[in-house]
Amino acid sequence: MTNSSMGNTSVTKHRRALVLYGSESGNAQDIADEMGRMTERLHFSTNVVHLDAVEPSILLDYTVILISISTTGQGDLPNNARRFWTILLRKKLPPTYLHDAHFTVFGLGDSSYPKYNFAARKMQRRLIQLGAEELFSQGEGDEQHPEGYESTFVPWLNSLSEHLLMQYPLEDGIEPIPCDRLLPPKVTLVLDKQEGRANGHSAHTPESFSNDRMVTKTAIVPHVPPTTIFRHGKQDSNSAVELQATLEHNERITPDDHWQDVRHLSFSATEYYNYAPGDILTIFPKNASEDVDQIIDLMGWNEIATSQIKILSRAETISDDRLVSLPIEGYNFGLTLRTFLTEHIDLNAIPRRSFFSLIANFTEDNFQKERLLEFTNPTFVDELYDYTTRPRRSILEVLQEFDTVKIPWQWAAAVFPELRGRQFSIASGGELKYGENGSTRFELLVAIVKYKTVIKKVRQGVCTRYLAGLFPGTSLRVLLRRGDLGISKSDSSRPVLLIGPGTGVAPIRSLIWERLRWARLLHQSANGAAAQDSMRLLGKTVLFYGCRNHKADFFFRGEWKDLKKKIPLQVFTAFSRDQREKRYVQDLVKEQGKLVYELLHETNGVVYVCGSSGKMPLAVRESLIEVFQQNGSMERDHAEVYLTRMEKEGRYKQETW
């Protein structure tokens, strides 16, 4: 959370900005942080906090409200924005509830989903309904754009900055804070005082290493434990459960000579935790030791790498006591700089524009400084994309190339992005959920990310690389979170069409096993002849599965044969590389058009599409429209309307990543 008066209290007294975000994966939070830096440079006293940390009524006390929000699941809001949204939806709120509040929204979405940027659009409409005024037109970013969110966010933010300066001009003699001047960091690392004295070091605070380009702030207070140092405000305890899990199995299920390493992992937790198909397990990875060694060597941090440190926050981080505040008591967890770099900093993230702006302050080499600042120039957005996103160049690699950059270790938490947990759809359900003695089992199907880029360098996913190296018996902290598919036992009688290529079959497997459990429960609750007919009460289950090769990546093929004997299950497969013509799941939809139409139109079935985002979901939608046209004698417009109605009724659900 950020707040700063930039040393000009009289200037910011009547210039207050509240930056709110709703974020699931962290992208909307990054966008919000950039918004916050922009308003700070315009001398707004700024708070950055997630939506659930505020009561909507306090929006009236701020000059401007900037909102960054992503869309999740079936057009839903992120977990840390749902409480705020629930309050906004109260019927008793008058249409003047937010009169005089001035806001703008930037939405983050994925155009392969039917409800693209739905959360941002809903938020905008509701705020206007309650009397708020949109001070600047809404911006939208698309994850499917070749240049990602930056392609629209950067020009939108620059235009917003110019608009704010016109609408809220500065006093004579006051200028915006230049981009080449450092803003004070939100969080700072310092040596533990006792540890520092023992090793002959001083416990530095930011003013000890500031320079003439930095706007200094000196008030520092102890911050929160390292596991929550980047979290802004209180998290919704109802949205996720944190637990300790033990890895039981870590098996590669693709052949050694197959191009991709796919793992079937099984975890156990000593207590029972109920979960449903579509629910998510978040894994918190660690950086590889060789990467940590490299950053320590590059920055010259060897002398203090094993020293105990503390995390400090600017005292004025929260200027409004109505916001959910962070605890500020002192903590001593024996945290070392090396541990901090291993567990909390993402060294392999693709750097954002703001990263180049920050590290340009930590080099005295004019050529490298100039080159770094070029990447922050909006007119060079294509060059930034070609240097970072296209070759998937990591932060560590950037610092290896710009070797004159020497970041003070005290700034590590402010300069590097957070190493966030990675979310995986749970692949287990039904009886697979239950372990011995009341314990819980979780199974994951994980493709290990490893590939060569356009510059012929090997890239590895931080989390999957971490998972691939874990041995059975390893204990790790995980987060169990409710998913967005919204599947319940009440749906058991409905027929379902399940479309899941590759590892997208994970949540589908969970659902199929859960349907088997529901069938058995129906059987147990029935008597006599009714018990014999209980299986008929379970709706038909049709699986369309796609992969490259029958022998290499037809996951769980033995299970499907066994499950066919227990529930009404049909499995259709498309192996894209086993014949000359490539076949995909969208081809199966058309080939089995009569069955699909009967399932979805005649018997009111539900379709679930799971797997990789991008072309696949769009191709499946197009195939469904063609099926409705051909088998239902519909015009295309009518077929599209019918599919849209299915979405509104919750009969078309998509979980892609």
Side-chain angles (χ1 to χ4, degrees):
M1 188 178 295
T2 308
N3 171 265
S4 177
S5 61
M6 300 295 100
N8 291 289
T9 305
S10 60
V11 176
T12 61
K13 185 176 181 180
H14 302 293
R15 296 170 66 86
R16 305 182 69 201
L18 180 60
V19 184
L20 302 171
Y21 65 85
S23 184
E24 201 69 54
S25 64
N27 289 323
Q29 182 178 336
D30 291 339
I31 292 292
D33 286 335
E34 281 210 51
M35 289 179 176
R37 286 189 286 268
M38 180 271 290
T39 54
E40 284 186 273
R41 292 190 182 281
L42 298 183
H43 296 280
F44 283 89
S45 177
T46 300
N47 283 112
V48 181
V49 66
H50 66 79
L51 281 152
D52 278 357
V54 306
E55 294 292 332
S57 59
I58 74 167
L59 272 58
L60 296 169
D61 297 332
Y62 286 82
T63 314
V64 295
I65 301 101
L66 314 182
I67 301 173
S68 166
I69 188 166
S70 61
T71 297
T72 66
Q74 319 309 311
D76 302 316
L77 277 75
N79 280 284
N80 60 3
R82 292 178 183 177
R83 173 184 166 276
F84 179 89
W85 180 244
T86 300
I87 296 174
L88 285 189
L89 292 180
R90 289 175 180 169
K91 292 182 180 180
K92 66 180 181 180
L93 296 180
T96 57
Y97 179 65
L98 293 177
H99 181 63
D100 286 337
H102 298 84
F103 78 97
T104 188
V105 178
F106 188 86
L108 291 84
D110 183 331
S111 58
S112 71
Y113 275 78
K115 295 182 177 180
Y116 170 64
N117 262 311
F118 209 62
R121 296 171 187 179
K122 287 194 295 188
M123 182 67 70
Q124 177 204 39
R125 286 197 300 268
R126 185 56 180 159
L127 291 173
I128 291 173
Q129 288 173 357
L130 294 174
E133 180 181 341
E134 190 173 30
L135 67 90
F136 191 71
S137 60
Q138 178 176 311
E140 293 184 349
D142 183 4
E143 188 176 320
Q144 294 301 319
H145 191 283
E147 296 172 15
Y149 303 123
E150 294 276 343
S151 62
T152 51
F153 174 67
V154 172
W156 181 86
L157 185 68
N158 290 330
S159 298
L160 174 60
S161 177
E162 294 171 1
H163 181 78
L164 290 176
L165 205 52
M166 285 193 301
Q167 291 294 113
Y168 307 97
L170 293 166
E171 297 176 7
D172 291 342
I174 303 295
E175 297 292 332
I177 298 168
C179 291
D180 63 352
R181 290 190 68 188
L182 275 171
L183 296 174
K186 291 182 293 184
V187 288
T188 307
L189 305 182
V190 298
L191 285 174
D192 179 270
K193 290 182 179 180
Q194 185 174 356
E195 174 78 7
R197 285 194 295 269
N199 292 315
H201 295 292
S202 61
H204 296 294
T205 52
E207 59 269 29
S208 306
F209 51 86
S210 63
N211 57 40
D212 59 3
R213 297 188 303 275
M214 174 179 158
V215 182
T216 58
K217 299 297 296 180
T218 58
I220 301 292
V221 295
H223 202 62
V224 294
T227 55
T228 58
I229 60 168
F230 291 97
R231 298 180 188 174
H232 294 174
K234 182 180 178 182
Q235 299 295 305
D236 181 2
S237 60
N238 295 320
S239 65
V241 177
E242 187 173 319
L243 54 99
Q244 285 294 125
T246 301
L247 178 65
E248 302 291 344
H249 301 285
N250 186 352
E251 177 189 4
R252 174 169 179 157
I253 57 175
T254 49
D256 291 339
D257 59 354
H258 187 58
W259 71 279
Q260 189 169 49
D261 178 357
V262 177
R263 301 297 178 98
H264 183 195
L265 301 106
S266 177
F267 299 88
S268 66
T270 55
E271 297 180 24
Y272 175 68
Y273 298 93
N274 189 31
Y275 60 88
D279 285 358
I280 293 164
L281 202 67
T282 301
I283 306 291
F284 297 91
K286 296 179 182 180
N287 287 308
S289 57
E290 54 265 37
D291 291 346
V292 175
D293 289 339
Q294 287 185 58
I295 196 67
I296 289 172
D297 290 339
L298 275 170
M299 296 299 110
W301 295 340
N302 290 282
E303 285 189 13
I304 45 83
T306 57
S307 298
Q308 290 189 13
I309 60 172
K310 285 187 176 180
I311 303 159
L312 303 181
S313 170
R314 297 208 319 256
E316 79 287 5
T317 288
I318 299 179
S319 62
D320 191 332
D321 58 11
R322 293 167 299 174
L323 302 182
V324 178
S325 62
L326 293 164
I328 58 171
E329 310 90 65
Y331 291 90
N332 184 4
F333 290 89
L335 180 69
T336 67
L337 179 61
R338 178 179 291 278
T339 304
F340 179 78
L341 297 171
T342 301
E343 299 181 4
H344 303 290
I345 294 300
D346 196 343
L347 300 174
N348 289 284
I350 298 173
R352 294 177 60 86
R353 190 172 58 110
S354 56
F355 176 78
F356 292 95
S357 177
L358 268 173
I359 66 173
N361 291 281
F362 301 118
T363 177
E364 299 301 324
D365 184 285
N366 289 330
F367 175 77
Q368 290 199 0
K369 182 190 295 290
E370 183 178 341
R371 181 64 176 147
L372 289 168
L373 291 175
E374 281 181 4
F375 289 129
T376 70
N377 190 330
T379 60
F380 296 136
V381 66
D382 291 339
E383 285 82 352
L384 177 63
Y385 172 80
D386 288 339
Y387 181 72
T388 57
T389 306
R390 187 166 178 266
R392 314 298 292 178
R393 187 174 267 109
S394 70
I395 281 175
L396 181 58
E397 289 173 323
V398 168
L399 292 172
Q400 288 170 336
E401 293 191 20
F402 290 88
D403 56 355
T404 64
V405 172
K406 302 300 176 186
I407 302 166
W409 61 267
Q410 295 93 334
W411 278 75
V415 172
F416 295 104
E418 174 188 2
L419 182 56
R420 295 188 173 98
R422 269 53 167 184
Q423 298 181 342
F424 297 93
S425 291
I426 299 173
S428 47
E431 64 185 45
L432 301 182
K433 297 191 295 186
Y434 307 109
E436 298 178 355
N437 302 318
S439 62
T440 311
R441 295 177 70 248
F442 306 93
E443 295 184 28
L444 302 179
L445 184 65
V446 178
I448 305 303
V449 179
K450 187 176 183 180
Y451 60 96
K452 281 189 177 181
T453 69
V454 293
I455 57 175
K456 307 301 181 185
K457 286 197 173 184
V458 175
R459 294 284 181 266
Q460 297 186 67
V462 175
C463 192
T464 60
R465 180 185 183 185
Y466 168 70
L467 285 173
L470 292 181
F471 292 97
T474 303
S475 179
L476 59 163
R477 182 173 63 93
V478 300
L479 207 63
L480 175 62
R481 185 182 295 280
R482 186 177 298 112
D484 296 307
L485 290 181
I487 301 169
S488 67
K489 185 182 174 182
S490 61
D491 298 320
S492 60
S493 61
R494 271 188 164 180
V496 292
L497 172 60
L498 309 173
I499 303 174
T503 56
V505 81
I508 286 172
R509 177 180 183 250
S510 174
L511 175 56
I512 292 175
W513 276 98
E514 199 71 14
R515 285 173 75 83
L516 173 59
R517 186 175 76 91
W518 293 337
R520 287 175 172 169
L521 290 174
L522 287 170
H523 181 81
Q524 291 170 7
S525 62
N527 294 310
Q532 298 298 319
D533 294 334
S534 60
M535 283 296 175
R536 298 178 187 176
L537 299 176
L538 188 70
K540 183 183 292 185
T541 304
V542 176
L543 168 62
F544 288 171
Y545 177 77
C547 62
R548 290 197 171 204
N549 311 105
H550 179 275
K551 293 183 179 179
D553 48 0
F554 185 10
F555 304 131
F556 308 118
R557 57 181 175 269
E559 281 189 15
W560 309 137
K561 289 182 180 179
D562 184 55
L563 286 164
K564 284 180 183 180
K565 303 171 186 176
K566 301 174 181 178
I567 59 173
L569 170 66
Q570 290 178 273
V571 179
F572 298 90
T573 55
F575 305 111
S576 63
R577 301 298 193 273
D578 279 352
Q579 63 284 316
R580 181 170 294 181
E581 282 191 17
K582 295 179 180 178
R583 294 177 70 245
Y584 301 102
V585 287
Q586 57 265 33
D587 298 314
L588 290 176
V589 173
K590 289 184 283 189
E591 290 169 11
Q592 301 297 325
K594 186 177 179 181
L595 172 63
V596 170
Y597 184 79
E598 177 189 342
L599 208 71
L600 301 182
H601 190 273
E602 301 301 307
T603 57
N604 209 36
V606 183
V607 58
Y608 296 93
V609 181
C610 303
S612 177
S613 63
K615 295 180 180 179
M616 183 275 291
L618 296 175
V620 166
R621 284 179 62 83
E622 183 62 30
S623 292
L624 288 171
I625 290 171
E626 289 184 27
V627 165
F628 295 148
Q629 286 180 268
Q630 294 171 7
N631 292 271
S633 300
M634 299 181 188
E635 295 295 329
R636 182 176 178 88
D637 289 350
H638 185 193
E640 290 177 349
V641 167
Y642 184 76
L643 186 56
T644 301
R645 193 167 77 222
M646 284 182 60
E647 294 164 7
K648 291 180 179 178
E649 294 171 352
R651 295 198 300 118
Y652 179 96
K653 297 186 178 183
Q654 182 175 318
E655 183 63 46
T656 55
W657 51 86

